[in-house]
Amino acid sequence: MAPAAPRSRLLLLCLAVAATAGVLQARAQPDSIGFISIDCGLPGTASYVDDATKLAYVPDAAFIDAGTNQNISAEYMTPTLSKRYHNVRSFPDGVRNCYTLRSIVAGLKYLLRATFKYGNYDNLARPPIFDLYIGVNFWTMVNVTDAGSAIILEAIVLVPDDFVQVCLVNTGSGTPFISGLDLRPLKSTLYPQANATQGLVLYARLNFGPTNSTTIIRYPDDPHDRVWMPWVNTAAWNSVSTTLRVEDIADDDMFEVPTKVLQTAVTPRNASGNIEFSWEPEPQPKDPTPGYVANMHFSELELLPGNAARQFYVNLNGKPWYPKPYKPMYLISDTIYNSNPCRGFPHYNISINATANSTLPPMINAVEVFSVIPTTNVGTDSQDVSAITAIKAKYGVKKNWMGDPCVPKTLAWEGLTCSYAISSPPRITSLNLSFSGLNGDISSSFANLKAVQYIDLTGNKLSGSIPSGLLKRVQDGSLDLRYGDNPNLCTNGNSCQATKTKSKLAIYIAVPVVLVVVIVSVAVLLLCFCRRKKQGPTSNTVKPQNETPVSHAPAPSAGGGSYPQSSLQLENRRFTYKELEMITDSFQRAQTLTKIHHKNLMSMIGYCKDGDYMALVYEYMSEGSLQEHISGNGRNTGFLSWRQRLRIAMESAQGSGTRDRERRGPWKRCQARDAAPRERCVIAWRGLLEWERP
Ligand SMILES: *[C@@H]1O[C@H](CO)[C@@H](O)[C@H](O)[C@H]1NC(C)=O
Ligand SMILES: *[C@@H]1O[C@H](CO)[C@@H](O)[C@H](O)[C@H]1NC(C)=O
Ligand SMILES: *[C@@H]1O[C@H](CO)[C@@H](O)[C@H](O)[C@H]1NC(C)=O
Ligand SMILES: *[C@@H]1O[C@H](CO)[C@@H](O)[C@H](O)[C@H]1NC(C)=O
Ligand SMILES: *[C@@H]1O[C@H](CO)[C@@H](O)[C@H](O)[C@H]1NC(C)=O
Ligand SMILES: *[C@@H]1O[C@H](CO)[C@@H](O)[C@H](O)[C@H]1NC(C)=O
Ligand SMILES: *[C@@H]1O[C@H](CO)[C@@H](O)[C@H](O)[C@H]1NC(C)=O
Ligand SMILES: *[C@@H]1O[C@H](CO)[C@@H](O)[C@H](O)[C@H]1NC(C)=O
Ligand SMILES: *[C@@H]1O[C@H](CO)[C@@H](O)[C@H](O)[C@H]1NC(C)=O
């Protein structure tokens, strides 16, 4: 057969789009049509309207907290150069630097576009090579080969979270930089080859035979602001066009190619020749033989007489790519695409040839070629990310806190440790922010790190009290919290104290003191250590401690070691801790109260209510808890004989003058064995807090 028409090579054309400045308010959120359009390195807060698209471009400061703004060098500042390329943000510090695009819809597909024009901004005349990531998944290598051209990179990915990060990773071949970053939402039904585990990286998106060979089609002609590059080859192709509307009639238009793109097409200049074009694979550091998918868009633009037929085959490397003869429909768009990526060819040669009974040459309107990337790397649990991001923002933590906190392991955030399970996202399990210059109160976001088991806040300048959410975690034993050496933190009686008021707290406390009966089955007591003490039953000095590990302790009498000293402002139906503290003159008066003793009764120091958790605070029992004595599980404790138990119950009931008070709440009662029927012991737990003030 005859030689084919000259082969055309797919090329990414990088045409500059002129822009002029208009001033708008900067915003860090998608605009009214869901777009985010960022001019990276643009100083100040003012945005401007891009001349070509009329889209507002915003400065990047709201999206990133690293890097420096740089102007490109004067020799590259041509009069028609798009404003986006006038400056860059460069990242001399840190291995990974990331833009965070927020307030997007989790589970939707997005088009991400990053642009790069080096322009010798650093006067080193050394264009860098670096890597680009979408979140924790590799996107592409950026190989800036010359200072003057612009590189436009695009990806279509399904975003699993309500934010997405674009990260530049320094691979040791120069300082990463970026000129612009766009995000465009796509319907989930678009681009079926993009799914939860596979993303698409644009190789080329070409509009065949545009009437003006320099016209780039994008927004508003393309509502998704895809960039359709013109492709004409007058030596090989004739252009065909229509002014009539071309549309997709299918309900599930998977590509939504704009009419303006579909209104033009090419046919081979030699009427008996083929349309041919090709591309070569671009090996990536992470994928030496990337797979490719192609979407070829067709529509008949000529109203054919009855005896005419346009029918053709689409071949890849000489073999049918689409298995049947294909006939484009008049003014109706249709797409031939492959779902499974083609991989491993040294060349991808597309040839479109007419069938034997076709009276007209083949034609094509547009083509998109993508390589595929796996998006199977899973980032840190999104709730953990939100929490740690809020913590980072609140304290302005610098360190290397960029990108995903746990992934990859090699770039995990300094001071964090993470757990990596096979079937679930990584979780943050410990956080060491000791001596990190933290100022202000303790963020409630710490409590939102649900899997964290250890937090070290030692040696900062934290103030205020410990948030109740965090305290709850400490109480239920799931968190070890250290916060020593924070002079302004409410961890001793003085710093949280407000104005002193006279009060009658004594009686309020005295009532529970006499009612707390020792035969309490302590197992169900939920303690929230408003304050715990380090003394035996007869000494009641409350002394601030310096060492401050807060951890769960099993019972009021937990012994040994050092004890948390937190003067916590607890929300309580009756009293706040602050109130207690004020009323008792920093527990001076409470000491008196706790001297009301019965040998079988433990004195109650106080109580608190924290959310669902309610607690009683008792004095320290040096010999171990009652539970230990009852069960015999104590460290060195004896086992109470039944006789002893009975005696204690009797004496307690009589000596303390326990009255039978009816109370709301989940009280449990029990009959002390062999005791007089009315002499009841009370298993007090949550109900204690339901008592009314006398
Ligand atoms: C046009 O194509 C036919 C068939 O492929 C071939 O025989 C002929 O030489 C071509 N003409 C030119 C001018 O290339
Ligand atoms: C960049 O150029 C603008 C003027 O075009 C100037 O105002 C600004 O200071 C320059 N910035 C840097 C970092 O040199
Ligand atoms: C970057 O591009 C240049 C020019 O195409 C090429 O010679 C070089 O090998 C590329 N670098 C890498 C790391 O691929
Ligand atoms: C995504 O598409 C690829 C290629 O067709 C397929 O192998 C993979 O199973 C798909 N993933 C999901 C989550 O559907
Ligand atoms: C093609 O478009 C460019 C702007 O995109 C314009 O300057 C030029 O005049 C147009 N050419 C023709 C032939 O219409
Ligand atoms: C594809 O085209 C190139 C020239 O562009 C040629 O060298 C190569 O042999 C072709 N490969 C196939 C499989 O047709
Ligand atoms: C066109 O392609 C088909 C399918 O690959 C092939 O069978 C046929 O020989 C080709 N015809 C011409 C004229 O190249
Ligand atoms: C043209 O030929 C193909 C087989 O090559 C056949 O499937 C098709 O029906 C024919 N079309 C017409 C209009 O004859
Ligand atoms: C927390 O970090 C500090 C300072 O780097 C270090 O001294 C301390 O040992 C760390 N704590 C733990 C438990 O790793």
Side-chain angles (χ1 to χ4, degrees):
M1 290 295 289
R7 230 170 249 282
S8 301
R9 182 63 62 83
L10 280 185
L11 286 176
L12 251 186
L13 305 176
C14 300
L15 304 183
V17 181
T20 55
V23 175
L24 289 177
Q25 192 56 48
R27 52 203 302 169
Q29 305 241 315
D31 62 16
S32 58
I33 49 172
F35 288 12
I36 295 177
S37 312
I38 304 172
D39 182 337
C40 304
L42 181 69
T45 56
S47 59
Y48 62 86
V49 172
D50 177 77
D51 219 24
T53 57
K54 307 292 184 230
L55 291 170
Y57 273 78
V58 300
D60 61 355
F63 302 90
I64 193 153
D65 57 8
T68 59
N69 293 357
Q70 305 279 345
N71 290 334
I72 64 165
S73 93
E75 58 183 307
Y76 294 98
M77 284 280 247
T78 56
T80 57
L81 183 66
S82 168
K83 192 165 157 58
R84 196 138 60 266
Y85 297 121
H86 290 192
N87 34 48
V88 301
R89 184 175 288 265
S90 80
F91 302 97
D93 301 316
V95 173
R96 174 173 63 174
N97 287 280
C98 302
Y99 282 82
T100 306
L101 313 180
R102 296 174 209 284
S103 303
I104 63 174
V105 182
L108 221 62
K109 281 177 196 169
Y110 285 89
L111 182 157
L112 285 164
R113 185 165 44 225
T115 58
F116 308 85
K117 188 190 182 79
Y118 172 58
N120 199 18
Y121 76 87
D122 53 5
N123 292 313
L124 295 173
R126 258 206 322 265
I129 300 174
F130 52 92
D131 284 350
L132 211 54
Y133 279 74
I134 297 171
V136 294
N137 289 290
F138 177 78
W139 173 356
T140 186
M141 179 181 71
V142 184
N143 184 350
V144 184
T145 49
D146 73 284
S149 37
I151 296 175
I152 302 172
L153 300 174
E154 184 194 299
I156 293 174
V157 288
L158 194 151
V159 175
D161 301 303
D162 61 358
F163 67 94
V164 64
Q165 293 195 314
V166 173
C167 303
L168 295 87
V169 174
N170 190 324
T171 51
S173 303
T175 300
F177 74 92
I178 186 168
S179 304
L181 185 60
D182 296 339
L183 172 130
R184 311 287 182 243
L186 300 174
K187 288 176 208 157
S188 329
T189 49
L190 292 187
Y191 292 97
Q193 300 109 326
N195 61 27
T197 55
Q198 177 173 282
L200 305 179
V201 172
L202 186 68
Y203 186 94
R205 177 181 289 120
L206 296 157
N207 173 26
F208 287 103
T211 36
N212 182 332
S213 63
T214 62
T215 300
I216 293 169
I217 294 176
R218 56 181 297 186
Y219 188 84
D221 291 312
D222 186 336
H224 305 298
D225 192 31
R226 288 165 292 187
V227 176
W228 298 86
M229 290 299 192
W231 199 8
V232 292
N233 179 345
T234 47
W237 302 329
N238 285 329
S239 293
V240 188
S241 70
T242 182
T243 52
L244 299 173
R245 192 166 171 77
V246 183
E247 49 204 352
D248 191 291
I249 51 161
D251 290 338
D252 57 338
D253 184 351
M254 289 182 286
F255 299 96
E256 296 188 351
V257 181
T259 280
K260 199 164 175 187
V261 168
L262 293 167
Q263 278 174 327
T264 65
V266 293
T267 60
R269 187 170 269 274
N270 180 342
S272 48
N274 304 335
I275 296 171
E276 305 203 324
F277 57 89
S278 67
W279 70 90
E280 281 169 28
E282 282 184 335
Q284 292 289 324
K286 310 258 169 186
D287 191 355
T289 57
Y292 287 89
V293 295
N295 307 325
M296 295 184 202
H297 308 294
F298 300 99
S299 175
E300 179 59 75
L301 303 180
E302 292 174 334
L303 187 56
L304 305 184
N307 60 349
R310 192 192 308 275
Q311 220 175 22
F312 49 80
Y313 292 100
V314 181
N315 307 297
L316 169 65
N317 293 338
K319 298 217 173 78
W321 182 60
Y322 184 68
K324 293 181 291 185
Y326 181 78
K327 186 179 177 205
M329 292 169 283
Y330 182 57
L331 301 184
I332 290 170
S333 78
D334 191 20
T335 299
I336 292 179
Y337 67 95
N338 59 322
S339 307
N340 293 318
C342 301
R343 202 181 281 272
F345 296 108
H347 297 277
Y348 291 83
N349 296 351
I350 298 291
S351 152
I352 306 175
N353 71 348
T355 61
N357 57 10
S358 179
T359 63
L360 292 166
M363 74 183 295
I364 185 168
N365 306 56
V367 65
E368 295 170 282
V369 176
F370 299 90
S371 61
V372 297
I373 48 166
T375 55
T376 43
N377 288 344
V378 178
T380 306
D381 175 84
S382 62
Q383 210 188 358
D384 283 4
V385 174
S386 306
I388 198 76
T389 303
I391 289 163
K392 177 190 166 186
K394 181 179 171 82
Y395 300 109
V397 179
K398 287 284 184 258
K399 301 182 186 272
N400 70 337
W401 284 28
M402 268 287 178
D404 190 273
C406 302
V407 182
K409 281 183 195 177
T410 51
L411 295 179
W413 292 5
E414 214 175 282
L416 294 191
T417 54
C418 304
S419 65
Y420 300 89
I422 292 161
S423 54
S424 58
R427 302 296 305 252
I428 297 168
T429 54
S430 87
L431 173 56
N432 189 347
L433 278 173
S434 61
F435 304 98
S436 300
L438 310 189
N439 264 302
D441 57 355
I442 296 183
S443 169
S444 56
S445 297
F446 282 109
N448 295 334
L449 296 168
K450 301 289 186 204
V452 84
Q453 292 158 9
Y454 177 90
I455 297 177
D456 193 344
L457 301 175
T458 312
N460 289 295
K461 298 191 183 75
L462 294 166
S463 52
S465 54
I466 303 203
S468 57
L470 205 54
L471 193 64
K472 204 160 152 182
R473 295 280 321 279
V474 172
Q475 289 150 21
D476 68 24
S478 61
L479 176 66
D480 184 351
L481 174 68
R482 283 166 198 253
Y483 50 81
D485 200 5
N486 280 281
N488 299 323
L489 199 60
C490 294
T491 57
N492 61 58
N494 305 325
S495 43
C496 283
Q497 204 153 7
T499 11
K500 292 186 182 182
T501 51
K502 299 224 166 179
S503 152
K504 300 271 190 292
L505 181 79
I507 186 157
Y508 305 153
I509 288 200
V511 172
V513 165
V514 293
L515 285 175
V516 174
V517 179
V518 173
I519 307 292
V520 170
S521 175
V522 210
V524 288
L525 271 183
L526 296 171
L527 297 185
C528 81
F529 304 108
C530 295
R531 174 170 312 243
R532 296 178 59 237
K533 311 193 300 133
K534 197 188 177 174
Q535 300 87 26
T538 53
S539 160
N540 295 297
T541 317
V542 177
K543 216 165 65 183
Q545 304 288 312
N546 286 331
E547 180 49 72
T548 56
V550 172
S551 59
H552 178 64
S557 57
S562 49
Y563 288 90
Q565 295 295 326
S566 49
S567 104
L568 307 165
Q569 295 171 338
L570 297 163
E571 187 197 322
N572 187 305
R573 188 178 298 190
R574 296 287 168 238
F575 314 104
T576 62
Y577 182 79
K578 208 165 188 169
E579 280 177 295
L580 278 177
E581 199 183 41
M582 281 192 302
I583 289 165
T584 60
D585 199 6
S586 293
F587 295 92
Q588 296 306 304
R589 215 168 300 188
Q591 290 175 38
T592 317
L593 287 169
T594 55
K595 282 177 187 149
I596 302 170
H597 262 296
H598 183 285
K599 66 174 178 175
N600 291 329
L601 293 182
M602 206 166 24
S603 295
M604 178 166 167
I605 308 293
Y607 66 93
C608 68
K609 175 178 184 294
D610 175 20
D612 287 332
Y613 290 79
M614 302 177 190
L616 309 177
V617 183
Y618 299 94
E619 60 191 349
Y620 175 56
M621 305 289 283
S622 60
E623 297 298 317
S625 73
L626 177 68
Q627 187 182 17
E628 287 163 350
H629 282 275
I630 290 176
S631 65
N633 287 338
R635 290 167 299 268
N636 50 2
T637 55
F639 191 82
L640 284 177
S641 68
W642 280 109
R643 189 172 190 82
Q644 283 173 308
R645 293 174 198 220
L646 194 60
R647 183 173 48 77
I648 291 168
M650 297 286 287
E651 288 177 2
S652 302
Q654 291 158 3
S656 66
T658 306
R659 280 174 295 161
D660 176 23
R661 294 170 61 123
E662 211 46 64
R663 331 205 188 284
R664 291 170 290 132
W667 284 79
K668 281 189 184 171
R669 288 145 202 253
C670 67
Q671 299 278 113
R673 204 195 292 189
D674 296 330
R678 289 194 187 162
E679 290 164 349
R680 287 189 278 177
C681 65
V682 180
I683 297 174
W685 61 307
R686 308 169 65 102
L688 194 58
L689 295 169
E690 300 291 331
W691 287 356
E692 283 161 17
R693 288 175 196 241

